[in-house]
Each structure stands twice: as structure tokens, then as C-alpha cells.
Amino acid sequence: MGANSRMTVATHALTWMARVCPTRPDGIVTSEQIAASVNTNPVVIRRILGSLRDAGLVESQRGQGAGWRLARAPESITLKDVYLAVEPDPLIALHSTPPNQACPVARGIPPVLRQVYDRAEESMKAELAAVTVADVARETVAAP
């Protein structure tokens, strides 16, 4: 089981767009251009951008000059917004199948762990809400 990188790729894409889109007359960039920065396949970028579009964070343009642009100012997009757009599942999952209900531990552990996991996820969301794409862009460019 590997770690999911959707959040990281989505944040990279939005940060790149925050830096590059303002330099373009139409503000449009392609998934191929973003993919070159992320070093991944443009299909991966298009899937993530689709989720970000559904959340109202980016817009797509079809036809002549097709591509993507930010739908909101980078200062108004928090990492919590990004997380909620690309991570539909809980941070930590319970058993995929119900544990043995004849066992007292198996019967009692799901609600206990769910409460702990829910509190942990709320704490993480609060941290993500304190950082914007503009913050990431500013700190990324300032990094050595």
C-alpha cells in the first residue's frame, strides 16, 4: 500500500498555475505544460484538474486555445480546499470488511478508532486551511 500523492500533485499544479498563468495574456495553460513541471503523464494532470474544476478551483476552456486557468485567486484557495477536492476518502480507513463480530475487540474497535481518526482528520484540515496556494507559491520560489 503506497501513499496517495493526489494532494501533492494537485498542489504542485495549482502552485505552478499561480506562478505561470498571470504571465500569459489569456491566463491559459495546458495539462502538458503542467505535467512537464510535475514530471508525470498529462492524463494524470487532467484527472486531477477535473476534480479541481468540479470543486470550482480551476476552469477549463475547450476549442481554440484550450487549456486550464485558475478560477479563483491563489490567495483564496487553501490547501484544505485542494484536499477536499482530490481526496474523497477518509484520511485513515477502517477495515474494508466488518471484523469478526464474535470477538469483543473486533466488535468495539471500529467506533473507537473512527472517533480518533475523525479528530485527527479535523486537525489536519485546520492546518491545511491556514495555508493558501499563494503561500506555497511564495515559499517555493523563496526556497534555496
Side-chain angles (χ1 to χ4, degrees):
M1 288 185 268
N4 184 328
S5 62
R6 280 190 304 261
M7 173 71 180
T8 300
V9 172
T11 302
H12 185 142
L14 290 169
T15 301
W16 188 86
M17 292 173 76
R19 298 293 297 167
V20 173
C21 287
T23 67
R24 310 264 167 122
D26 56 5
I28 298 286
V29 296
T30 67
S31 54
E32 289 79 10
Q33 292 167 325
I34 299 167
S37 177
V38 178
N39 196 25
T40 192
N41 191 297
V43 172
V44 171
I45 298 300
R46 283 192 286 277
R47 285 186 186 136
I48 287 174
L49 289 172
S51 295
L52 296 172
R53 179 189 54 221
D54 293 346
L57 304 179
V58 300
E59 300 171 332
S60 59
Q61 179 172 307
R62 296 177 184 246
Q64 183 92 12
W68 301 86
R69 74 169 66 93
L70 294 175
R72 295 175 17 200
E75 298 80 11
S76 74
I77 301 172
T78 68
L79 295 191
K80 179 182 176 185
D81 297 328
V82 179
Y83 175 77
L84 294 174
V86 299
E87 297 295 348
D89 298 323
L91 181 63
I92 305 171
L94 294 175
H95 297 287
S96 59
T97 58
N100 180 354
Q101 295 301 297
C103 171
V105 171
R107 196 171 45 250
I109 202 166
V112 172
L113 290 180
R114 180 76 285 139
Q115 288 179 358
V116 172
Y117 297 164
D118 286 349
R119 286 193 310 267
E121 187 161 4
E122 287 308 311
S123 293
M124 182 195 69
K125 287 177 184 176
E127 287 294 320
L128 294 175
V131 179
T132 69
V133 169
D135 296 331
V136 175
R138 187 172 34 261
E139 292 178 33
T140 299
V141 175

